[in-house]
Amino acid sequence: MSAVPVPQVLFRPMRPADVADVAALEKSLYVFPWSAGNFRDSVEAGYDCRVACDGSRVIAYAVLMVALDEAHLLNLAVASEWQGQGLGRSFLDHMLAIAKSAGVQIVYLEVRPSNHPARQLYKRAGFQQIAIRPAYYPALHGREDALFLGLTL
Ligand SMILES: CC(C)(COP(=O)(O)OP(=O)(O)OC[C@H]1O[C@@H](n2cnc3c(N)ncnc32)[C@H](O)[C@@H]1OP(=O)(O)O)[C@@H](O)C(=O)NCCC(=O)NCCS
């Protein structure tokens, strides 16, 4: 476990017992959330699934899929009351350090063009746009493109 600048917050691996809390947080943050099953499958598949905790409470989570020297950041989210305090950036740095220590050379992710906080987070971390994936995400009216980003470690 490692500390982040917010003093009482610790990062640790996501456990099966965390899945219900993580899925509830996910539901509070996304209009089209992952299901509890999606998180359970990710843990069982051996993806690098991590949570940030304030005491016993899960306040952020991330899912990283590593394949040889590439990784895909599948999810990263911070509870709304914790947003804007540097936790997203710290957690992203933590996940990038995990990727680097696993021998990853490039990290990919998708983000909605409409998700300005996330785009700012990734831009500040050095991610660059590689492509646009048309109609990638479900949206309230039709579909939304994804920006496909990459960061060389
Ligand atoms: C994206 C998210 C993880 C950022 O977490 P956070 O803890 O608020 O981020 P931080 O406080 O570390 O800020 C990181 C950067 O994002 C920017 N940012 C944060 N909230 C923002 C907002 N509402 N609008 C614009 N920029 C914002 C910050 O300004 C900071 O950039 P800076 O260093 O240039 O100032 C968080 O907003 C979130 O969980 N959103 C819902 C889930 C989600 O969309 N996840 C990403 C899916 S791709």
Side-chain angles (χ1 to χ4, degrees):
M1 290 198 281
S2 57
V4 299
V6 186
Q8 71 272 34
V9 175
L10 290 175
F11 298 129
R12 64 165 173 78
M14 189 187 297
R15 307 170 186 136
D18 297 317
V19 164
D21 289 344
V22 169
L25 200 47
E26 167 91 2
K27 208 171 165 186
S28 76
L29 292 168
Y30 290 101
V31 179
F32 298 95
W34 281 22
S35 66
N38 293 142
F39 287 105
R40 203 171 299 115
D41 289 348
S42 297
V43 172
E44 286 174 3
Y47 297 168
D48 271 302
C49 305
R50 307 272 158 160
V51 292
C53 295
D54 173 28
S56 61
R57 201 171 143 240
V58 172
I59 58 169
Y61 53 89
V63 177
L64 181 78
M65 180 178 67
V66 175
L68 303 175
D69 61 351
E70 296 183 0
H72 205 123
L73 186 63
L74 299 175
N75 205 331
L76 170 72
V78 173
S80 52
E81 66 271 30
W82 281 87
Q83 290 178 11
Q85 300 171 53
L87 181 54
R89 182 62 200 264
S90 299
F91 207 172
L92 179 59
D93 288 347
H94 181 68
M95 298 310 289
L96 295 176
I98 287 171
K100 195 161 188 177
S101 65
V104 166
Q105 295 189 14
I106 186 159
V107 179
Y108 298 108
L109 60 84
E110 282 92 12
V111 62
R112 289 179 189 261
S114 61
N115 191 344
H116 296 289
R119 288 179 65 182
Q120 179 70 4
L121 171 68
Y122 300 135
K123 186 178 169 192
R124 292 276 287 174
F127 279 85
Q128 297 198 329
Q129 186 173 321
I130 296 171
I132 294 178
R133 298 198 192 284
Y136 183 85
Y137 290 113
L140 289 176
H141 303 288
R143 311 274 305 174
E144 182 174 2
D145 294 346
L147 305 180
F148 182 56
L149 310 185
L151 175 71
T152 302
L153 299 180

